[in-house]
């Protein structure tokens, strides 16, 4: 589902990365969301999978598009459980499928309406509850509504590992309630001790939220022992080695191993692309990998944002091509905060078209009024371009109140960019796990 320059997040299985903690720091304006770290986006390529986190690499600030299908729970089974039996359940299931189709088409509000209709038909549909909760969490940024639905679903299915896992990630990334999140991870592992997705995401949690490097590596290794051919787990472990052990050669070997297993897996492709771009300075190699992702899925918003950032930041006189990529991301998902923020930064920094830049920053806040990256981007713009210190302070203070650590990172990065005569961009999240990756858009999510 994933951004700006986003580093990998570790969620588990399929994405890209977004989620949600997902954040990556890129070189340009700060566009980071959540987690946010590779911030993931809702995966549009299939059934609702568990959400996956990608491990974040603290580089440039980026926002990650979040794919609803990415959270990694107990495997790749469809969320929600049992086959519909009564006429009401059958009708509810049809409405759920229509809602998911509406979401995949970028119409989150229509998806919300249809999920609510499904719940009127079948008030105990945990599938409808969980999917609507993810839309509230990732798309509509209504965390209280999302949490209520997660809790309702868990009350009906208290031993459903993927629900417990999703709620753990929510507590980690949205509420920043690390003690409660860890309790849910541990509960999931009691029920399913060898679940690779839970192990993988718990490893990311331990490293990012507890700074427990040794224990995190133990969880990564258990995850890979349980699922040695998981490209998501391999990419997250590679990111861990790269960023926490400094073993870039071993990390690269593991990225390549992930691609050998799944040559067309978008998350693996753009995680390795980010590695080539940031660590090896191999921009041609990174560009080739972004193009491969887009050959697999021309509407992959993470790849579109990251490729746009590469063109904007590395290639000379490629602003028009970068803008086209961001616009393609918005065609695929009109609510993609990474793309909205990245276009705003492009207009501000590269084209000096400040009125257009402000329109996009305002649009970002309309989509996500509590998005820390968007608040910081617009706040910095008001301060540095408009000279409106009072209004800027209000936005930046709100960002600090929502996520003090992320806000200070973004504000510091922007101040440094201003000192250097340029703004900060964000990169899109990768689609494998959920970790904190930064991307040049708004937002690695985490």
């Amino acid at each position: 589902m994933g951004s700006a320059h986003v580093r990998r997040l570790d969620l588990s299985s399929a994405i890209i990365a977004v989620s949600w903690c997902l954040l990556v720091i890129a070189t340009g304006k700060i566009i980071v969301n959540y987690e946010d770290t590779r911030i993931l986006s809702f995966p549009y390529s299939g059934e609702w999978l568990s959400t996956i986190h990608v491990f974040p690499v603290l580089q440039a600030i980026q926002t990650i598009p979040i794919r609803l299908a990415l959270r990694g729970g107990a495997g790749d089974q469809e969320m929600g459980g049992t086959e519909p039996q009564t006429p009401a359940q059958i009708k509810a299931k049809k409405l759920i499928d229509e809602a998911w189709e509406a979401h995949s088409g970028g119409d989150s509000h229509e998806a919300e309406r249809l999920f609510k209709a499904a719940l009127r038909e079948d008030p105990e549909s945990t599938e409808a509850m969980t999917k609507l909760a993810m839309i509230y969490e990732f798309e509509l940024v209504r965390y209280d509504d999302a949490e209520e639905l997660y809790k309702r679903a868990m009350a009906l299915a208290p031993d459903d590992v993927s629900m417990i896992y999703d709620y753990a990630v929510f507590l980690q990334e949205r509420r920043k309630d690390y003690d409660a999140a860890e309790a849910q991870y541990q509960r999931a592992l009691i029920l399913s001790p060898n679940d690779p997705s839970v192990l993988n995401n718990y490893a990311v949690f331990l490293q990012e939220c507890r700074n427990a490097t040794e224990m995190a590596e133990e969880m990564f290794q258990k995850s890979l022992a349980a699922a040695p051919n998981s490209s998501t787990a391999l990419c997250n472990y590679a990111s861990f080695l790269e960023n926490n052990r400094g073993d870039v050669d071993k990390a690269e070997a593991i990225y390549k191993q992930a691609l050998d297993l799944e040559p067309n897996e978008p998350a693996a492709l753009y995680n390795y692309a980010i590695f080539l771009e940031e660590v090896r300075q191999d921009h041609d190699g990174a560009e080739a990998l972004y193009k491969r992702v887009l050959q697999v899925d021309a509407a992959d918003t993470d790849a579109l944002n990251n490729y746009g950032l590469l063109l904007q930041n590395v290639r000379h006189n490629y602003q028009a091509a970068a803008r086209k990529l961001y616009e393609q991301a918005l065609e695929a998902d009109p609510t993609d905060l990474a793309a909205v923020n990245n276009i705003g930064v492009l207009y501000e920094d590269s084209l000096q078209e400040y009125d257009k830049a402000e329109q996009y920053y305002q649009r970002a806040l309309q989509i996500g009024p509590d998005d820390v990256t968007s608040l910081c981007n617009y706040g910095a713009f008001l301060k540095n371009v408009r000279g409106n210190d009072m209004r800027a302070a209000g936005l930046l203070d709100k960002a600090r109140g929502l996520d003090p650590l992320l806000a200070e990172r973004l504000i510091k990065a922007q101040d440094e960019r201003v000192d250097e005569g340029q703004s900060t961009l964000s990169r899109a999240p990768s689609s494998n796990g959920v970790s904190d990756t930064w991307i040049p858009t708004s937002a690695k999510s985490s």
Side-chain angles (χ1 to χ4, degrees):
M1 262 207 178
S3 31
H5 200 124
V6 182
R7 276 277 173 188
R8 308 131 238 212
L9 291 173
D10 171 331
L11 266 187
S12 49
S13 326
I15 180 179
I16 44 193
V18 160
S19 214
W20 319 211
C21 291
L22 327 158
L23 292 136
V24 178
I25 296 175
T27 56
K29 194 130 214 143
I30 300 167
I31 297 162
V32 178
N33 202 34
Y34 333 112
E35 11 156 38
D36 278 295
T37 222
R38 262 166 233 230
I39 224 55
L40 304 188
S41 256
F42 296 111
Y44 288 103
S45 61
E47 290 300 323
W48 183 288
L49 303 178
S50 306
T51 303
I52 296 170
H53 279 283
V54 176
F55 194 172
V57 175
L58 299 181
Q59 291 271 45
I61 293 176
Q62 312 164 193
T63 297
I64 301 168
I66 297 171
R67 301 196 181 217
L68 280 179
L70 288 184
R71 237 180 197 119
D76 294 346
Q77 77 271 15
E78 174 133 0
M79 297 175 73
T82 59
E83 285 295 319
Q85 296 176 345
T86 68
Q89 289 174 333
I90 292 169
K91 185 174 181 181
K93 177 59 178 172
K94 183 174 183 294
L95 288 165
I96 290 169
D97 292 341
E98 291 174 0
W100 190 241
E101 185 175 348
H103 166 263
S104 297
D107 193 341
S108 299
H109 292 287
E110 176 64 5
E112 178 192 15
R113 185 188 71 79
L114 290 166
F115 279 130
K116 285 183 172 180
L119 286 169
R120 286 193 292 271
E121 294 293 333
D122 181 5
E124 296 189 351
S125 171
T126 57
E127 181 182 5
M129 290 177 199
T130 311
K131 289 182 176 179
L132 179 55
M134 284 190 172
I135 287 180
Y136 283 148
E137 179 184 352
F138 293 112
E139 296 285 315
L140 302 180
V141 195
R142 290 163 52 180
Y143 297 151
D144 290 344
D145 291 334
E147 185 164 19
E148 180 185 351
L149 286 166
Y150 284 133
K151 288 180 175 179
R152 280 175 58 190
M154 290 172 62
L156 290 165
D159 294 336
D160 186 307
V161 174
S162 63
M163 286 185 199
I164 297 170
Y165 168 79
D166 283 342
Y167 187 45
V169 175
F170 173 87
L171 291 169
Q172 173 186 338
E173 297 175 359
R174 310 306 174 200
R175 299 302 196 194
K176 310 300 179 187
D177 188 343
Y178 300 139
D179 291 342
E182 186 163 21
Q184 295 298 329
Y185 280 126
Q186 291 175 346
R187 180 181 164 204
L189 287 172
I190 289 171
L191 291 166
S192 184
N194 297 314
D195 184 297
S197 296
V198 179
L199 287 164
N200 193 30
N201 281 305
Y202 186 36
V204 173
F205 170 88
L206 289 168
Q207 180 58 47
E208 295 305 303
C209 302
R210 300 300 198 199
N211 196 30
T213 301
E214 301 302 326
M215 194 172 174
E217 185 159 21
E218 179 184 345
M219 291 298 117
F220 277 128
Q221 290 173 347
K222 285 184 177 180
S223 174
L224 285 168
N229 294 327
S230 167
S231 64
T232 296
L234 286 165
C235 282
N236 280 336
Y237 186 43
S239 179
F240 171 85
L241 293 171
E242 173 192 347
N243 297 295
N244 297 97
R245 297 300 195 193
D247 193 342
V248 294
D249 291 336
K250 185 174 180 180
E252 184 167 22
I254 293 176
Y255 284 131
K256 289 179 177 179
Q257 181 183 348
L259 280 174
D260 286 341
L261 290 166
E262 296 189 66
N264 294 319
E265 168 56 43
L269 285 166
Y270 51 71
N271 273 309
Y272 186 37
I274 292 171
F275 174 90
L276 290 176
E277 185 178 350
E278 296 176 355
V279 176
R280 300 302 192 196
Q281 301 298 303
D282 181 359
H283 300 122
D284 291 340
E287 184 172 10
L289 291 174
Y290 289 135
K291 288 179 177 179
R292 278 177 59 185
V293 177
L294 295 174
Q295 288 173 349
V296 174
D297 181 2
D300 187 302
T301 56
D302 296 331
L304 289 165
N305 276 302
N306 279 336
Y307 186 21
L309 286 172
L310 182 148
L311 294 178
Q312 182 174 346
N313 296 323
V314 175
R315 307 300 191 199
H316 297 296
N317 301 317
Y318 272 74
Q319 289 89 348
R323 183 176 62 186
K324 184 174 181 180
L325 290 167
Y326 299 146
E327 289 171 346
Q328 285 178 241
L330 285 176
E331 288 175 12
D333 179 3
T335 64
D336 180 12
L337 282 170
V340 176
N341 276 290
N342 281 332
I343 294 180
V345 173
L346 179 71
Y347 275 121
E348 178 185 352
D349 292 343
S350 300
L351 303 177
Q352 285 80 52
E353 295 186 34
Y354 300 125
D355 290 342
K356 287 186 178 179
E358 186 164 19
Q359 288 173 10
Y360 278 98
Y361 292 143
Q362 291 172 341
R363 178 176 170 183
L365 286 176
Q366 288 174 348
I367 295 170
D370 293 329
D371 179 69
V372 174
T373 298
S374 300
L375 288 164
C376 289
N377 277 340
Y378 191 29
F381 174 87
L382 291 171
K383 176 183 176 182
N384 299 319
V385 176
R386 299 301 194 199
N388 190 336
D389 290 347
M390 182 177 296
R391 194 171 169 208
L395 294 174
L396 297 176
D397 286 345
K398 181 179 180 180
R400 292 187 183 99
L402 291 165
D403 189 334
L405 178 60
L406 173 58
E408 289 303 332
R409 278 175 172 172
L410 294 176
I411 292 167
K412 181 180 178 181
Q414 287 185 335
D415 288 345
E416 289 173 352
R417 302 306 291 176
V418 169
D419 291 342
E420 296 173 8
Q422 38 186 318
S423 297
T424 309
L425 289 174
S426 315
R427 221 176 252 260
S430 43
S431 33
N432 267 332
V434 174
S435 84
D436 290 349
T437 301
W438 301 84
I439 353 169
T441 83
S442 63
K444 295 194 121 343
S445 39
S446 124

